[in-house]
Amino acid sequence: MRYMDTETGRHSFHRIILPAAFILSAVLLLCAARRLDGFAQWYSVTIYPLIVGSAGRLFGLLPFSLSEILCSVLPLLIIADAVRLMIHASRRGDRKLTAVKIFLQHVFTLASVLLLLYAANCGVNYYREPFVPAEKLESSEVSEEGLVSFCDYTAEKLQDCYSAEAAEPPAYPEGKALREKAVYSMENLSETYTELRGTYPAPKHLTYMSRLFSMMGVSGIYSPFTVEANVNGEMPGLEQPFTSCHELSHLRGYMNEGEANYIGWLACIGSDDDAFQRSGWLIAWSYAGSALRQTDPDAFTSVYEKLPDGAIRELEDNYLFWHEHENQASQVQDKVNDAYLKTNGQSSGIQTYGQVTDLMLMWYSDQDSSK
């Protein structure tokens, strides 16, 4: 008993005071982001880039996803710690209650570190200034006529993507080529949008967790704990370029999912890689075409008939992939993600992803007016 009490007293700073300081720091950061005007924007363009340029760059050198490894190792380490403490207590004749107390202190420390990493590398950025000023989006004319016109324009772009002399369009890049092209596409986009300039650690393709992501209906995720952009490596090729760029946009501090979709789409259609461009226009049709089908089914049918066979085949294969993986787990994940986004200031929840349609229509209107 004396040993355990001595150990507890000797490490009280590390087990109680330091974790409490981490939690307090996280709470102060999140409160400042919500309450202090300009703080989140200042943090996202001043402090956060330093984190990406250091920790993000360092972990980006690893050929595997560190966050994926931690998801497997941490639970095992927690279990091993509990077993170790119970065995240690039994051998010394100490009360097991003391071992449980120390174990809970360890869990408390781990939770405090994760909370601080979340706040510093993600939470504050939810309250930064939007990529597209709200007043600009509100002043943009989003009409049914504009939606039909954009869908028609998208169909024309897809016709160009499949009009090459080759029997099949270029294959989507994989592995290292895909990661490098995604980074290059984002860096290329940053030449137009200077707010996107900065360090881009290569996105990581998940290995064994991709199957879990597919079952949950998740195409990618940004890990604030390791500052990594992670992509489901199992999903169809058409989503790979777009999702890679989407997740990389989070590394520039843009956490709004609709804006991340928009940035990822801009990076794809502006890429010099034909497969990336095809991915961007297929994604554009997925969102805009779905909106048109709901508002004007007849117009949707008319435009849909203009899609090349290759595009229809890819879109159908993509739909079937996600439909086959739809289950109770994916429905639960949707509810959790919806609640998470609403908690972080995105009042539309998972519907925020669909806001990319309005942003694409705004972009199309700007392009049309500049001609």
Side-chain angles (χ1 to χ4, degrees), residues 20-288:
F22 288 161
I23 292 176
L24 178 60
S25 298
V27 171
L28 288 176
L29 278 174
L30 295 175
C31 287
R34 290 172 179 255
R35 305 290 183 180
L36 297 180
D37 292 340
F39 175 80
Q41 179 63 18
W42 170 82
Y43 184 93
S44 66
V45 301
T46 305
I47 305 300
Y48 180 66
L50 298 178
I51 297 174
V52 177
S54 53
R57 186 190 297 272
L58 176 63
F59 296 145
L61 296 176
L62 299 175
F64 54 84
S65 170
L66 179 60
S67 56
E68 183 178 33
I69 299 299
L70 291 178
C71 283
S72 300
V73 173
L74 278 181
L76 296 178
L77 291 178
I78 292 173
I79 294 173
D81 185 52
V83 173
R84 179 187 67 83
L85 288 171
M86 294 301 290
I87 293 175
H88 188 73
S90 298
R91 288 178 176 176
R92 298 189 61 86
D94 296 318
R95 290 188 304 173
K96 292 184 178 180
L97 182 61
T98 304
V100 171
K101 178 181 177 181
I102 294 177
F103 172 71
L104 293 178
Q105 290 173 339
H106 290 174
V107 173
F108 176 61
T109 300
L110 176 62
S112 68
V113 172
L114 295 179
L115 178 61
L116 180 57
L117 289 174
Y118 165 78
N121 301 338
C122 176
V124 173
N125 292 335
Y126 276 102
Y127 302 92
R128 68 170 299 168
E129 294 178 4
F131 181 69
V132 177
E135 56 272 15
K136 180 178 180 180
L137 184 58
E138 292 172 357
S139 63
S140 178
E141 296 183 4
V142 180
S143 62
E144 183 175 325
E145 180 181 352
L147 179 59
V148 173
S149 180
F150 177 70
C151 286
D152 194 67
Y153 179 74
T154 299
E156 292 178 1
K157 287 294 185 179
L158 286 172
Q159 289 170 6
D160 294 338
C161 292
Y162 291 86
S163 65
E165 296 180 0
E168 295 291 336
Y172 294 106
E174 298 178 351
K176 183 179 180 181
L178 173 60
R179 295 191 293 270
E180 291 179 347
K181 184 60 68 173
V183 170
Y184 178 79
S185 297
M186 290 296 293
E187 291 176 340
N188 181 60
L189 183 64
S190 70
E191 294 300 315
T192 301
Y193 300 93
T194 57
E195 57 268 46
L196 295 176
R197 291 178 181 174
T199 302
Y200 284 100
K204 306 293 184 65
H205 274 208
L206 301 173
T207 52
Y208 64 88
M209 285 191 68
S210 286
R211 177 56 55 89
L212 176 62
F213 271 39
S214 296
M215 293 174 59
M216 297 173 62
V218 177
S219 57
I221 190 170
Y222 163 67
S223 169
F225 311 113
T226 56
V227 199
E228 288 178 308
N230 296 285
V231 178
N232 180 347
E234 189 180 70
M235 62 186 178
L238 81 86
E239 289 202 48
Q240 297 282 345
F242 168 75
T243 301
S244 297
C245 293
H246 169 108
E247 298 304 332
L248 285 176
S249 72
H250 290 322
L251 286 164
R252 293 273 56 79
Y254 289 101
M255 301 307 300
N256 180 283
E257 298 297 348
E259 290 195 332
N261 272 350
Y262 180 57
I263 294 171
W265 175 71
L266 288 175
C268 283
I269 66 169
S271 174
D272 61 1
D273 186 274
D274 292 340
F276 266 65
Q277 292 179 29
R278 189 165 87 252
S279 172
W281 290 115
L282 285 168
I283 291 297
W285 174 262
S286 296
Y287 280 103

Side-chain angles (χ1 to χ4, degrees), residues 311-329:
I312 293 175
R313 183 169 58 252
E314 285 202 68
L315 290 167
E316 289 179 346
D317 288 345
N318 191 60
Y319 169 79
L320 289 174
F321 173 83
W322 292 112
H323 181 70
E324 289 172 357
H325 288 87
E326 187 174 350
N327 52 39
Q328 189 66 34

Side-chain angles (χ1 to χ4, degrees), residues 342-356:
K342 289 179 178 177
T343 300
N344 284 283
Q346 298 186 38
S347 59
S348 298
I350 59 175
Q351 299 302 320
T352 306
Y353 290 92
Q355 291 177 1
V356 67

